[in-house]
Every structure is written in C-alpha cells, then in structure tokens.
C-alpha cells in the first residue's frame, strides 16, 4: 500500500510510534524514525530492517530547533516525503491551584503543539510535491476538559493540536496536502509510566482505565497504527480536517 513512499514518524522509540513505523515498513514504505532515546530507536530500527526496509534513524528532540534536521536529513537520504506522522507527545503535571500550571503548560506545548507546527511548516513544500499528507496523533483529551486538574495542560495541548490540524488542512488543501488527527483513548502501553506515573501502579492504572471504557478494554498500539495507515493511504483521499476517535467508547461513558 505504501511501496517506496517516504514516511517520517516522530516519537518512534516506543508505543504507537514504534508500532506504526513497523506497519508502514511492512507495507513497503521507507521510514525515518525520530526520538531522543537512541538505544530504543536502534532496537526498533532493527525490527524495521528485518522487513527489508532499512530505516533512517534520527536522534532529535523535536521541541528544540534541531527538529529542522528531521526534514532535511530525510530529503537528503530518501529524496522525497509522502507522509509526516507527528506522534511524539508528553504530559506534564500542574494545576491552577497548586501553582504549577504555567510550567506544565510551557513544557507540554513545546512538544505537543509547537514542534508539530514547526515540522509541518518545514515539511509542507515537500509534501506539496508528492500530494502527501500529515497525521497528527492527538487524544480523546482534545475533546473534553480534564477531570484531573493537574492534567489540564495535556488536554489544552491536544485541543490546540486538533484545531491547528483543521487550520492546516484548510490552508494546505490548496496545494493538495491532507491533514488529519487520530484521537486515541487509553492505549495499552507505557505512556503513563513514561510521563511520571508510578510503575508500581501500572496494573492498577490499566484496570481503572479499562473500567472507564464502554468496551472494557484498551486499544493496542497496532490498532491505533492501522487507523493511521488508513488515513495516510489513498483510501482516505477525500478525508481532511478530520479527527478520528479510537477510544473503546471511553468518551461515551466517562
Ligand atoms: N498511551 C495512551 O494512552 C495515549 C492516549 C491518547 C493519545 N496518546 C498520544 O500518543 C502519542 C504517542 O504516545 P504513546 O502512547 O506511544 O506513549 P510513549 O511510548 O510514551 O511514546 C511517546 C514517544 O514520544 C517521544 N518523544 C517525547 N518527547 C519527545 C521529544 N521532545 N522529541 C522527540 N521525541 C519525543 C518518546 O521518545 P523519547 O523519549 O525517546 O524521545 C516516545 O517515543 C502521544 O502524542 C500521546 O499523547 C497516547
């Protein structure tokens, strides 16, 4: 489905990003994988290489100006760009009343929103050439306020990401680029512990999240990845400016 298309995936060192990178490679794509942790990226890179598609590995912090090299190195290496998956994301804790919301907001927005805007602006000229598309990995958090006050900045960032995606979809439609978001609910991966959650509470956290969903189970990384592949493919050629929820029905119930 993606034979010799070139795909960039940020946040590819774990979770959804690692899974979707592998799925793209299995469908014939050349993949650039990006994250800060080189050891984890190298491990994922080996799994991708086993599909016969050698990935370009770029260690970069996308919240910093060095993110610009992600696009230029991909073009130098693969010669074109067809799909940009802005998947890297973090959460940071701080509420209005505990006095830490500004700190949390600044940290989260740099990665979850500013970096996406930065990479979009650098990628757009190349995506216009291939009539490519962008998938932004948002969250169900974009669609409702946080019930946990300390997570407010995460919800704000994902709502901003959805709205940026709609603005970008409208502007970039003029040059043939589609822009969509996927909005996962709880996913069975390490996002909770990677973002300061207590590892010893991981299984309790999983059970709590399962009980909050209508279906009673969490999504897998691959399930989110398959929706990303659909939106990135020609099967979705008339889909742009959309937010696709994959959340086991958590928004229906909680
Ligand atoms: N898990 C869930 O329940 C859930 C639900 C809804 C939405 N999401 C969204 O899904 C996306 C992927 O998260 P995940 O669930 O797969 O969790 P994850 O395993 O924690 O993945 C996050 C990825 O982002 C990378 N990353 C974070 N900050 C970065 C930075 N400044 N520069 C480059 N890479 C950075 C991390 O790699 P390094 O640490 O190596 O840089 C990691 O590969 C995120 O946008 C998240 O908000 C997750």
């Amino acid at each position: 489905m993606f034979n010799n298309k070139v795909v960039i995936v940020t946040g590819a060192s774990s979770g959804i990003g690692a899974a979707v990178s592998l799925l793209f490679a299995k469908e014939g794509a050349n993949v650039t994988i990006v994250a800060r942790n080189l050891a984890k990226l190298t491990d994922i890179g080996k799994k991708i290489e086993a599909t016969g598609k050698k990935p370009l590995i770029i260690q970069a912090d996308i919240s910093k100006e060095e993110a610009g090299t992600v696009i230029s190195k991909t073009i130098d290496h693969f010669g074109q760009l067809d799909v940009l998956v802005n998947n890297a994301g973090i959460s940071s804790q701080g509420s209005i009343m505990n006095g830490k919301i500004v700190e949390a907001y600044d940290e989260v927005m740099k990665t979850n929103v500013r970096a996406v805007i930065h990479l979009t602006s650098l990628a757009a000229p190349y995506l216009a050439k291939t009539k490519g598309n962008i998938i932004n990995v948002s969250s169900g958090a974009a669609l409702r306020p946080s019930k946990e006050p300390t997570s407010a900045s995460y919800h704000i960032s994902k709502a901003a990401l959805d709205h940026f995606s709609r603005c970008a979809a409208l502007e970039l439609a003029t040059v043939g680029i589609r822009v969509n978001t996927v909005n996962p609910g709880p996913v069975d991966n390490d996002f909770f512990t990677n973002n300061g959650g207590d590892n010893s509470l991981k299984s309790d956290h999983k059970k709590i999240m399962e009980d909050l969903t209508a279906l009673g189970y969490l999504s897998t990384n691959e399930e989110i990845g398959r929706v990303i592949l659909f939106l990135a493919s020609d099967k979705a050629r008339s889909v742009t400016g959309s937010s696709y929820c994959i959340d086991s029905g958590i928004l229906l119930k909680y």
Side-chain angles (χ1 to χ4, degrees), residues 163-202:
H163 215 55
F164 167 69
S165 303
R166 288 186 282 268
C167 293
L170 188 56
E171 179 182 350
L172 297 180
T174 59
V175 290
I177 302 171
R178 297 185 297 108
V179 184
N180 291 290
T181 73
V182 292
N183 296 59
V187 182
D188 191 5
N189 67 21
D190 294 334
F191 187 76
F192 172 70
T193 47
N194 287 347
N195 286 278
D198 183 343
N199 203 22
S200 67
L201 298 178
K202 200 178 155 189

Side-chain angles (χ1 to χ4, degrees), residues 11-17 34-37 60-63 87-90 111 137-140 154 158 184-187 189-191 194-195 221:
S13 62
S14 59
I16 296 167
V34 184
R36 295 165 300 182
N37 188 317
D61 181 338
I62 56 148
S63 70
N87 164 74
I90 57 163
T111 300
V137 180
S138 180
S139 168
Y154 182 72
K158 294 299 189 180
V187 182
N189 67 21
D190 294 334
F191 187 76
N194 287 347
N195 286 278
N221 295 314

